[in-house]
Amino acid sequence: MKFEVSDSSVAQVVILPVFVEDLPKLSNDGKTVRKDRLLPHVGARHGVTWINAPAEDEPDLLILGMGEEAKFKPYMMQEAAGNASRALQKEQRSSAVVTFEALGSRKILSGCMPAVIAAWVEGSLLGTYSFHKYKSSVAEQAETTIIFKSTAGAAWKEAIRVGQIRAEGTMWARDLTNEPPNGLRPRDLAERTAERFAGTKAQVAIYEEPDLEHLGFAGLTAVGRGSIHPPVFIEVRYCTDETKPLIALIGKGVTFDTGGISLKRDNDISDMRMDMAGAAAVLGALDILVRSGAEANVAVLVPSAENSPSDRALLPGEVIRYANGVTVQVGNTDSEGRLILADALIYAHRIGAKQAIDLATLTYSVVGALGSKVAAVLGDDELADALQTSGEPSGERLWQMPLVDEYEAYMHSDYADACNISSVGEAGVITSSLFLRKFVHPSLKWTHIDMNGPKESASCTGEFAVGATGFGARMLAHYVTNLS
Ligand code: BES
Ligand code: ZN
Ligand code: ZN
């Protein structure tokens, strides 16, 4: 897909995003659109309506519904763009011009056309994303050129670049997350990170045994012990402005979670290939920061392991001694995410981070609580608020849950300072976060994001393809970029 800014609007298709309220006005025209063909669904959110041209040399019209104006949120522009570009590809159209004429006088557009253009580019690319690396043949796709009609060349071209960078970082996160378990072991994740950032201002360090032990990463070595594919700890520094506080972005990188000796018993656990979606999110965010040349001071930390049962695997009942002195008895080896994130949280303080944000597919229960569209955020209120705001432009939604001190007792262990699972079958999102808090130095501002719900999309709508969503990458990049 290509994007152009041009003052000419010659194309096979004219794309027209509309609100429900615009329909009567459009219908009055009578020439281009007949009222009876427009109502009632055309303006509804996700509406995609083709209107064929009356003459051969005229363009067809593609009307994109954006719902009611009062309910409009900026990310819906991405959604409409995704729907439009998928429709163009399906119909094998090679050129289309986008016109915002119907929305023209609206407040939502005034003064923010570059943001609208960036959103359109982002949504177009994300909406036509597909993961077909393992298909022997893929249907040939005609290249589509999207034209934005304007004489304001430079600013809109820059907006196109911004949209492309954000989409590419997100698509890389999707690619990593979609990989099957045999396509991405911990070492592969490290290699792909090193390749992606080679020749940039980001510095990649990869630690394996015996370094992991020297660095005191007790959780990671314990969890990774059962697999023949060894664990790694990935650290990527991107420090272009050291006057800014160091931010640690931590991602759970379990390349496959069988549960370990506490083996999962579900019928289909193939989704556990996505148990590194947190890692993909922080790496994707860094990709956006690096390629947009952001002024930032960031350390991306990814503890990565395959959680597998074997004769040398971590056993339920074992006690782990962490670098901060806390000891943990393993009640269940399927609660492995918190065990490896603990190392990264301790390390974040050790390298001087002032803030730490961790993203992880940590619990089943978060999906029960918030569903597949919203992630949970827990920890520092101010940071949680700022992240919530940072996710809004890309439609990445967070909802804050409380850290209820009283539930900490649920993780009591007779042998160690704590157990890695709760003895009470409630509030799994909160207890897992309370566990992580034990490894957060009091001077470190911290939030945890459980993104198990929105890591994946079950349908091909808006900017989503079936499979990984790349959730978190744009939100984190936005947060870091806007930090003073
Ligand atoms: N990786 C899982 C969480 C998960 C569930 C990810 C479904 C993707 C889809 C995590 O490691 C896990 O197993 N959590 C358990 C913890 C329990 C054993 C205390 C859970 O949430 O049930
Ligand atoms: Zn698990
Ligand atoms: Zn897991």
Side-chain angles (χ1 to χ4, degrees):
M1 188 147 295
K2 277 200 332 207
F3 302 92
E4 278 175 14
V5 182
S6 165
D7 53 7
S8 131
S9 58
V10 180
Q12 292 179 345
V13 180
V14 172
I15 301 177
L16 184 70
V18 296
F19 286 119
V20 171
E21 294 88 335
D22 295 323
L23 292 174
K25 271 183 272 163
L26 275 177
S27 315
N28 284 342
D29 176 336
K31 223 170 31 195
T32 17
V33 185
R34 271 185 23 220
K35 189 171 186 144
D36 57 340
R37 294 185 65 182
L38 277 181
L39 297 173
H41 58 273
V42 175
R45 210 173 137 196
H46 289 298
V48 175
T49 308
W50 282 101
I51 301 203
N52 294 330
E56 278 243 325
D57 55 346
E58 285 182 37
D60 290 335
L61 194 59
L62 180 56
I63 305 188
L64 272 310
M66 302 216 304
E68 293 164 44
E69 186 178 4
K71 292 187 182 157
F72 176 77
K73 298 264 181 345
Y75 74 85
M76 292 174 190
M77 200 60 86
Q78 272 131 254
E79 202 173 80
N83 289 331
S85 293
R86 235 187 344 268
L88 291 172
Q89 285 206 338
K90 200 166 151 222
E91 299 296 324
Q92 303 274 350
R93 301 307 178 95
S94 59
S95 64
V97 61
V98 192
T99 168
F100 298 99
E101 267 163 38
L103 317 179
S105 57
R106 293 315 206 302
K107 259 209 322 274
I108 53 154
L109 296 190
S110 65
C112 62
M113 274 319 285
V116 170
I117 301 300
W120 198 274
V121 170
E122 199 174 315
S124 290
L125 292 170
L126 292 174
T128 48
Y129 167 90
S130 80
F131 186 73
H132 47 245
K133 181 174 165 185
Y134 296 99
K135 297 246 191 216
S136 321
S137 69
V138 188
E140 189 99 4
Q141 227 11 291
E143 175 142 71
T144 313
T145 303
I146 308 276
I147 303 160
F148 300 105
K149 188 171 183 295
S150 169
T151 46
W156 287 31
K157 279 189 186 135
E158 176 55 19
I160 291 175
R161 200 182 70 92
V162 168
Q164 279 169 326
I165 290 173
R166 289 162 61 80
E168 274 158 22
T170 309
M171 291 192 287
W172 184 47
R174 288 183 183 181
D175 281 346
L176 293 173
T177 311
N178 279 326
E179 277 289 352
N182 57 338
L184 193 92
R185 313 281 187 196
R187 272 184 178 158
D188 300 319
L189 184 59
E191 248 170 54
R192 297 212 16 198
T193 302
E195 274 167 22
R196 185 86 177 182
F197 295 111
T200 71
K201 287 185 179 161
Q203 308 278 315
V204 181
I206 295 159
Y207 304 106
E208 287 195 17
E209 286 296 14
D211 290 344
L212 297 180
E213 209 161 309
H214 297 151
L215 287 161
F217 293 147
L220 182 60
T221 48
V223 170
R225 223 170 61 204
S227 172
I228 54 162
H229 305 289
V232 301
F233 189 92
I234 306 167
E235 176 175 2
V236 194
R237 296 284 193 116
Y238 175 70
C239 306
T240 45
D241 184 353
E242 292 192 12
T243 63
K244 291 190 171 176
L246 179 65
I247 316 290
L249 302 177
I250 300 170
K252 172 179 172 183
V254 173
T255 57
F256 197 83
D257 181 11
T258 66
I261 295 293
S262 315
L263 198 61
K264 288 187 185 291
R265 284 143 199 255
D266 313 8
N267 286 334
D268 179 7
I269 62 167
S270 61
D271 256 14
M272 291 302 150
R273 70 186 184 283
M274 294 195 178
D275 211 15
M276 34 57 67
V282 296
L283 291 167
L286 189 72
D287 191 70
I288 296 171
L289 292 170
V290 169
R291 280 164 221 285
S292 52
E295 300 287 310
N297 194 8
V298 174
V300 163
L301 308 176
V302 173
S304 180
E306 188 181 80
N307 188 21
S308 298
S310 76
D311 57 357
R312 51 180 197 175
L314 174 67
L315 299 173
E318 279 193 36
V319 174
I320 301 174
R321 184 178 296 277
Y322 279 90
N324 67 343
V326 173
T327 58
V328 170
Q329 186 168 30
V330 179
N332 189 318
T333 62
D334 198 8
S335 267
E336 82 299 340
R338 60 196 81 178
L339 294 176
I340 67 173
L341 289 173
D343 288 328
L345 287 165
I346 298 169
Y347 188 70
H349 171 66
R350 218 192 307 161
I351 61 174
K354 297 288 174 273
Q355 297 183 13
I357 303 162
D358 79 73
L359 271 81
T361 44
L362 210 61
T363 64
Y364 282 95
S365 35
V366 74
V367 187
L370 298 174
S372 60
K373 302 272 179 224
V374 184
V377 59
L378 300 96
D380 184 85
D381 294 338
E382 210 183 354
L383 189 48
D385 268 1
L387 288 167
Q388 220 160 9
T389 309
S390 302
E392 276 167 17
S394 42
E396 292 164 298
R397 278 183 273 175
L398 301 180
W399 190 255
Q400 193 175 2
M401 290 173 114
L403 286 167
V404 183
D405 291 324
E406 288 84 342
Y407 301 166
E408 213 166 327
Y410 298 174
M411 283 172 293
H412 168 81
S413 160
D414 289 334
Y415 285 12
D417 300 335
C419 183
N420 74 332
I421 50 162
S422 163
S423 56
V424 182
E426 62 182 37
V429 184
I430 298 175
T431 52
S432 57
S433 309
L434 288 167
F435 180 87
L436 294 176
R437 192 174 68 173
K438 294 178 186 299
F439 304 93
V440 178
H441 192 272
S443 66
L444 186 62
K445 204 166 168 174
W446 159 78
T447 60
H448 158 63
I449 295 175
D450 193 335
M451 52 170 287
N452 195 13
K455 68 171 189 300
E456 193 180 1
S457 169
S459 66
C460 220
T461 38
E463 63 165 38
F464 299 118
V466 172
T469 57
F471 180 93
R474 286 170 289 166
M475 170 190 67
L476 291 175
H478 196 226
Y479 172 70
V480 172
T481 306
N482 292 334
L483 209 65
S484 46

